Amino acid sequence: MKKNTRYNPEKENIFADILVVIFSLCVILYTSFLFYQNLNKTFERKDKPAVAIVSFKYKSVQRRFLDRAVWDRPVQYSPVYNGDTLRTAPDAEATVYFPDKSVITIDSNTMIQIFKPLSEEASVQIAEGKVSVQTSGAKMTVKSGGTSVSVEKDSVLHADKKDTGKLRLAVEKGSAELSKAGVSGDAEKTGMNELLTEGSVTAESKAGFVSIVSPASGAKLLNQNAAGKSMPVLFKWHSTFPADTELILETARNRDFTSDVRHISVTGLDELTLEEQPGTLYWRLYAADTGFEHESADAGKLSIFSVPPPVLLQPASETRYAYRKRLPDVRFLWKGSTLASSYTLEIADNPDMLNPAAVKQVSAESVTIPDLKEGRWYWRVSPAYFISEGAPVKTSAVSSFSIERKKELDPIELISPGKTADTAEGKSINFSWKNAEEVKNYKLRIARSENMSDTVSEFTTARNYFELKKAAQTLPNGLYYWTVEGLDDENEIITSSKSSVFKTRDTEIILRSVFPPENYILADTLCLDTRFTWKTNLDTEHFFQVSSSRNFSDLIINQKVQGSAVEGISLKQGEYYWRVSVKSEFEEFKTDPKKLVIAEPLGKLQLVGMKERVIIPPDAKNAFFWTPVSGVDYYQMKITLANSDAAPVYENLFITKNDVSMFLQSISDGNYVISVQGFAGATVTSSRRYSYADSRHFELKHLRPVELLSPAFNEKINGVQAALQPGVLKWSSVDKPVNSRLILEKVGKKRSILSIANPDFKVQLPSLEAGTYRWRISAATEDGLDISSIKDGVFTVLPIEPLEKAAFVFPSDKEVLGIPFFKTNRSIVFKWERVRDATHYNLRLYNAKKQKLFEREIDAENNSFEFTELSLLSRGDFYTEVRALRRLKSGMLFQDGKTSACSFTIDLPTPAKVKTDAAGVMYGR
């Protein structure tokens, strides 16, 4: 019962439920993990040697061993064993590399089997799909069904096995021998060997086809031009279609051929060079008559990789290395490509790089070479690309450096501290200097005098910097001098620096500029209103300084100010640097120079296509355009009355595009002024800015086009009325039209029915047949305004309806005419009811086989007809039809009618057979 199944938390153990849920989730996660591991499991064999390695791109590749039925998913560069079967998923690619540098490229949706017995050439069996075989050190055999192709050394073969099972072969480079098994299965005995040379294409299909010979589907090309430049790609193909067949080559940047599509007719050609940018390029070649989905077409893709030559970074050109005793270690650094598998560094004593003194292959983009002798050296770097084995590559430019031996090394250059060292709150002082060759240790000395005779502190370090912690304890406030000496392995001084002076201060000095920030752009009209601010804790004289150079060699403004701000500064357009200088009792402090740009307006916009007269259409918008201005965020547009200070009749203060459309029907005719100006909002690095405005005087005038009154739009007119009593075309115009013309056309006919110049406002229509008609009025006013009708008038003349059926009075349907009828009648009088508007009747008589026996057209004054030709009749069934007709006085049929029919039967007895008495024996017998 319901009350017995109600949940009661007091009686149930909720913690047990939670544990069950947690346990179930753990089981689900663990089994999912096992399933994922099993799905992506990779096997390796210990009982067979690997014959190649496989790599893949885009999705995955699957592998199956010869003696197993389970497919696995190998990881990148997994081994391939003799007899392995490989297959690729949709949109996937795979490449098989052999030790002899032969390569097999596998396209998507392809399955192959690779055989490489010991000391024998490799072979590949194609089950389906596309492969490209590039041999290097040995031959390779490609097989499919009864076809076998022996690919010679240094050759490239493309094989494509279609869904129909037919094989297509193309030799891009070198040669190959084609063998087809005959009835016996022995190709040599059947004599079906064929030599395929470079550019040869063959297929099992006898129908016409096209095949791309180069580049191969899935080819990877290296664009070694500078970044951003395209490279030429040569397409070569073979066609078995007739020479005049139109061939289409299409390229695109996506598989669906919807992005950057190029459609080229290549009729009569067998090759074409296209300039292409790096990326994936899809291509297809087909006959225009069959289309790209036909089996005769060919399609594929290629990848273009941007690999510009390496850029040499260190040592920089003309760098000089000095040494005293020990030759320096030279570090070489360059910028390469992520696609490079390795680099070859060459060092020679001549710019032509002949007989290099050192050649080193490295996988990184830097290497250190020791013990280079004294002299001038030249160096360059050559990349190697794994994806394009053997392809010619461009080396880097050649750079030079020199190694010189000196008796004395250059002085050590000191870097920090500066003139003042902050030692407040236990801060440290960081001493640093430039590294010196051959120096093992550095000795830092700090003294009170410039001649370093009264040393305060002395420190030794192996690095080119030293941190003096809690400097205030060692160096209280005062003036100090410091030098650095370089020591060799024997602690002898081999170089030293000049002494440098600094002052310690245990109170923090605050002096920094606040606004405007670095690289601030300020509109020239806002300069006077801009407030320059800074922050400082120094209360001595402040000088606001502006210069056109960063080193302040030419001061434009050197103004003494009070406080930490100044305004009212006037500067012309240009680039400036500003800072604040504060002189204390010991030295002068300055803020870092900040660049300030006093900018002119953003640019001048110009109204485009603006006419002196703007016509306002009755139910549409007017559009205004202007040239865009770089840097503008929005535009403002106003329309005001000319020679008036009244408020704008139209105003839009935020237009993000360089055009605007609006309804102006509420504005009266007259003379107006339109003005447009661009604005840019204030940002962190710029003040608000504006562009030059553009204003134009123009006249606004409402357009009052001709109005088409009758017939109404899409009106349907009775066909009889349109033929016998046609109406009129009515139109009206507010403005007086001149040079007007009325055009009446029937849809489907080239020539117009009416074309009347300067027509009246009512025009009589001629007799019209059934159909759709279109009419319009083109007109202009005296001042040249086009007031033609906005849209055409359309009306339809309906087909003429047939006349009603003429119902039979006699004979009635299925009436039987027997002996009683023919005893009193020597004719049959057919009679029917009259039909309105009928001028004639058509009477027809048929037998049972629907063969016409009689036809007569009768004047509508009579609604009956006496049929006297009874000899045309016999026993049996007959049919009679009558149809009302309406003819004009000319006799032309104007309106047909519906047919009325009835059947009747003539029932007369069959005459008995005449019997005669026996004649007896005739005379003469």
Side-chain angles (χ1 to χ4, degrees), residues 604-618:
K604 183 174 177 60
L605 61 80
Q606 189 174 11
L607 287 160
V608 179
M610 190 71 192
K611 298 180 180 179
E612 294 182 358
R613 172 181 289 172
V614 176
I615 305 302
I616 304 175

Side-chain angles (χ1 to χ4, degrees), residues 63-96:
R63 176 186 61 184
R64 186 180 64 191
F65 297 144
L66 179 63
D67 53 356
R68 298 186 187 179
V70 179
W71 292 91
D72 72 328
R73 292 188 178 184
V75 296
Q76 286 285 16
Y77 304 110
S78 290
V80 178
Y81 305 97
N82 182 35
D84 281 2
T85 300
L86 301 175
R87 67 181 180 187
T88 53
D91 301 332
E93 297 177 7
T95 307
V96 180

Side-chain angles (χ1 to χ4, degrees), residues 842-909:
N842 179 267
L843 179 70
R844 294 182 182 181
L845 187 64
Y846 302 88
N847 60 16
K849 297 181 180 180
K850 293 294 183 178
Q851 296 174 336
K852 184 170 67 174
L853 304 176
F854 176 81
E855 181 177 8
R856 182 71 55 84
E857 189 169 299
I858 305 164
D859 228 0
E861 294 179 356
N862 300 315
N863 59 328
S864 62
F865 177 76
E866 183 178 2
F867 180 71
T868 58
E869 300 179 34
L870 297 180
S871 59
L872 299 175
L873 306 178
S874 62
R875 298 180 184 86
D877 297 329
F878 295 89
Y879 301 89
T880 181
E881 294 179 351
V882 65
R883 187 173 82 253
L885 305 175
R886 185 178 184 180
R887 294 186 181 275
L888 302 178
K889 292 180 180 181
S890 62
M892 183 183 71
L893 179 62
F894 171 69
Q895 191 174 7
D896 206 347
K898 299 178 182 178
T899 301
S900 179
C902 73
S903 64
F904 62 93
T905 303
I906 296 179
D907 186 15
L908 293 176

Side-chain angles (χ1 to χ4, degrees), residues 193-306:
N193 291 1
E194 179 183 355
L195 181 64
L196 303 178
T197 58
E198 185 172 325
S200 299
V201 176
T202 182
E204 296 178 353
S205 173
K206 296 182 179 179
F209 67 91
V210 291
S211 180
I212 293 284
V213 178
S214 174
S217 178
K220 298 174 177 62
L221 307 180
L222 299 180
N223 181 0
Q224 300 184 78
N225 297 325
K229 289 188 177 181
S230 61
M231 70 171 291
V233 179
L234 176 62
F235 287 86
K236 288 185 178 181
W237 60 86
H238 178 80
S239 171
T240 61
F241 287 107
D244 58 348
T245 302
E246 183 180 6
L247 300 181
I248 304 298
L249 174 64
E250 288 183 341
T251 63
R253 287 295 174 174
N254 62 346
R255 186 179 297 274
D256 299 330
F257 282 79
T258 57
S259 174
D260 297 332
V261 181
R262 191 156 34 175
H263 184 95
I264 306 172
S265 176
V266 293
T267 307
L269 302 177
D270 58 6
E271 64 178 48
L272 181 67
T273 300
L274 301 177
E275 291 290 331
E276 297 294 344
Q277 293 287 343
T280 301
L281 182 72
Y282 294 85
W283 54 263
R284 59 192 181 195
L285 180 67
Y286 58 91
D289 296 337
T290 58
F292 60 84
E293 294 182 345
H294 195 263
E295 65 176 359
S296 63
D298 197 8
K301 71 174 182 178
L302 59 90
S303 300
I304 302 175
F305 300 93
S306 178

